[in-house]
Structures are given as C-alpha cells and as structure tokens.
Amino acid sequence: MTFPPDLLPLLLRTSKLAALTGAGVSQESGLRTFRDAQSGLWAQYKPEDLASPQAFARDPKLVWDWYAWRREAVKAVRPNAGHYALVEIEKRIPQFTLITQNVDGLHRFAGSKNVLELHGNIQRVRCSECYTFAETWGDDSESVPKCEVCGGLLRPDVVWFGEALPRDSLEAAVEAARTCEVFFSVGTSGVVQPAASLAYAARNRGAVVVEINLEPTPLTPKADFFLQGKSGEILPALVKAVWG
Ligand code: APR
C-alpha cells in the first residue's frame, strides 16, 4: 500500500494526534455499522427507531431485547487489526486521544488507553431513573429488569438519539480536537453531531485532517488526506510505513 509522500514524515514528527472512530472501525470485527441493514429479526427496525428515549418509553422490552442481542453480538467478536494499529499509534505519539462513537468497547479491549466513549458503552447497564449502575440483573424474558435501588427500569449506558453526550467526554474530545496537530477521522459517516463537528474544529485550528473510509463522506472534500479503503488494512500499513 502506498501513501501520499508528505503524510509519512508528518506523522513521524507529530506529537499530538486525536483520532475519531465510528462503526466502520468495528465492521471488520464482524459488527454491523449503523447504516448497514439490520439482520434477522431486527431487520424490520431502523436503529434510529430503537435507540431513543421515545422508543424505550413506547416499548421498553423491545429496546432492552435489541441491546441484549447487541451485547451478545459484541461478546462474540474481537478487535481487528485496525483497533490494534490504533494501540500502536498511541504508543508512538506523545499525546494521543482516541475519541470513539462506538459503544462496543473494542478499543479498550484491544489495549487503547486514552479512550473517550462519546456515546457510552453497551456493556454497561444503568437505571433509567436514578442512574445507579447494575453489574447483574434478572433474566426474566417477560419484562425489563428493574433497578435494585429505586425499582426503575434498567437501560444500556449508551447515548440515545436526542440525549446529551457525557459532558466530561465531550469537553475532552473538543479540547483534543482543538489542540491536536493531526486529526484522524476513521470509519465514520460523519453525519451525527456533535461528533461530526470535531474534524472541523481541528481543521479550523490548523490541524491536518486525515480521513480513512471505505467511501467518501461529507468530510472528504475538507480533509487534507483521504485514504480510501478498509481501516483494518490501511491503519496497520500506515503504522508499518511510518514507524517500521
Ligand atoms: N473501514 C473503513 N470504513 C468503513 C468500513 C471499513 N471496514 N466499513 C464501513 N466503513 C465506513 C462506512 O463507509 C461509513 O462511512 O464506516 C462508516 C460507518 O458509518 P455509520 O454506520 O453511520 O456509523 P457511525 O459513523 O459510527 O455512526 C455515528 O450515529 O447511529 C449513530 O450513535 C450512532 O455512533 C453512531 C453514530
């Protein structure tokens, strides 16, 4: 794989890099992206119709079951070469921040340390009323498990459409984007705010923007480098080309 000649020396001398990842990074682990068609019994639903407070209020069991299915799907997969390449990049860049929209936890599982989970983590479950986290819960197939503290319905600790992102993570992500020398946007369609604005925040502060995606996105015309292809192939090749 060949890279634009000026990209490699740039990365070699970069001391501060922020990387935003989306579902595309986990696709090669076997997890469907958000815009991929849903499969099996969930094929009749669009994620947007399940991942919202309104959907949970309307039919909590349907939403709970969808996330239980997704938790099992995540448990069955492993990080791919793209996740591990980002672990390697973190070891070589003095100030590296990994900002992810993914809720599958695969970056941490692969060994990434400084990870900001903007949209939460599907493996964590909390009370929808008092926010108490639940380590275990009943597996009653008829109803959604309830909080042991207040009796409220349990829900996944992820950000649903229309909900606010965790403030600390978002503030840290904006700070990382505004102060980095290079910003990677990897495997994200760049259509969901506020995550999609981070690349522009970086660019507006003079950062070099590198996009890695199977196909062009709204960001592509504004990116300094567009590396088209699979992140699980491009990222490891980039690590080898820059750091040997
Ligand atoms: N390598 C690189 N890019 C890939 C790969 C791959 N192997 N496979 C898919 N892609 C790209 C697609 O071209 C697409 O641009 O990954 C992107 C996935 O886009 P989405 O499915 O929209 O996922 P994402 O961008 O993470 O969605 C953002 O929207 O639905 C909400 O909260 C949800 O976190 C999610 C957010």
Side-chain angles (χ1 to χ4, degrees):
M1 184 173 292
T2 56
F3 293 102
D6 41 345
L7 176 60
L8 305 184
L10 167 71
L11 292 178
L12 202 54
R13 66 173 183 269
T14 295
S15 60
K16 193 158 188 178
L17 189 146
L20 171 71
T21 65
V25 167
S26 295
Q27 188 264 342
E28 289 159 83
S29 291
L31 290 179
R32 293 179 181 287
T33 69
F34 256 86
R35 273 76 197 170
D36 275 346
Q38 293 254 83
S39 69
L41 64 103
W42 300 105
Q44 60 191 297
Y45 300 100
K46 284 198 306 187
E48 294 83 319
D49 298 334
L50 292 168
S52 76
Q54 294 76 8
F56 188 66
R58 190 171 52 243
D59 188 343
K61 187 74 173 67
L62 177 73
V63 174
W64 174 266
D65 287 348
W66 182 52
Y67 279 92
W69 174 72
R70 289 180 62 199
R71 267 197 300 280
E72 290 313 306
V74 167
K75 281 188 189 132
V77 302
R78 292 290 173 270
N80 63 64
H83 293 105
Y84 290 116
L86 286 165
V87 174
E88 289 308 308
I89 294 173
E90 181 170 26
K91 290 174 184 168
R92 288 168 172 78
I93 302 276
Q95 295 181 77
F96 178 91
T97 304
L98 180 51
I99 305 159
T100 190
Q101 301 170 90
N102 300 339
V103 296
D104 55 38
L106 288 178
H107 284 302
R108 285 217 176 95
F109 193 96
S112 289
K113 301 279 185 275
N114 187 17
V115 181
L116 300 171
E117 293 178 322
L118 287 189
H119 294 169
N121 186 315
I122 199 171
Q123 301 295 2
R124 286 196 306 266
V125 169
R126 66 169 172 82
C127 175
S128 56
E129 302 295 334
C130 69
Y131 276 75
T132 304
F133 284 99
E135 295 302 325
T136 59
W137 49 85
D139 234 350
D140 167 7
S141 59
E142 295 308 310
S143 62
V144 174
K146 291 189 175 49
C147 170
E148 286 179 359
V149 171
C150 78
L153 294 180
L154 294 184
R155 58 164 281 181
D157 187 35
V158 299
V159 178
W160 281 337
F161 286 100
E163 290 187 321
L165 274 64
R167 193 162 47 88
D168 295 353
S169 299
L170 181 56
E171 285 176 357
V174 170
E175 176 63 16
R178 283 181 174 163
T179 57
C180 66
E181 298 162 55
V182 175
F183 186 92
F184 275 21
S185 179
V186 191
T188 179
S189 56
V191 295
V192 171
Q193 295 299 350
S197 64
L198 293 171
Y200 301 92
R203 187 171 180 274
N204 292 343
R205 293 293 181 96
V208 171
V209 175
V210 181
E211 182 178 38
I212 297 173
N213 200 305
L214 273 185
E215 58 199 24
T217 71
L219 174 64
T220 307
K222 300 278 194 305
D224 298 281
F225 297 96
F226 176 52
L227 309 177
Q228 185 159 9
K230 291 184 170 185
S231 50
E233 293 171 6
I234 291 175
L235 284 168
L238 194 57
V239 169
K240 189 168 170 47
V242 177
W243 292 284

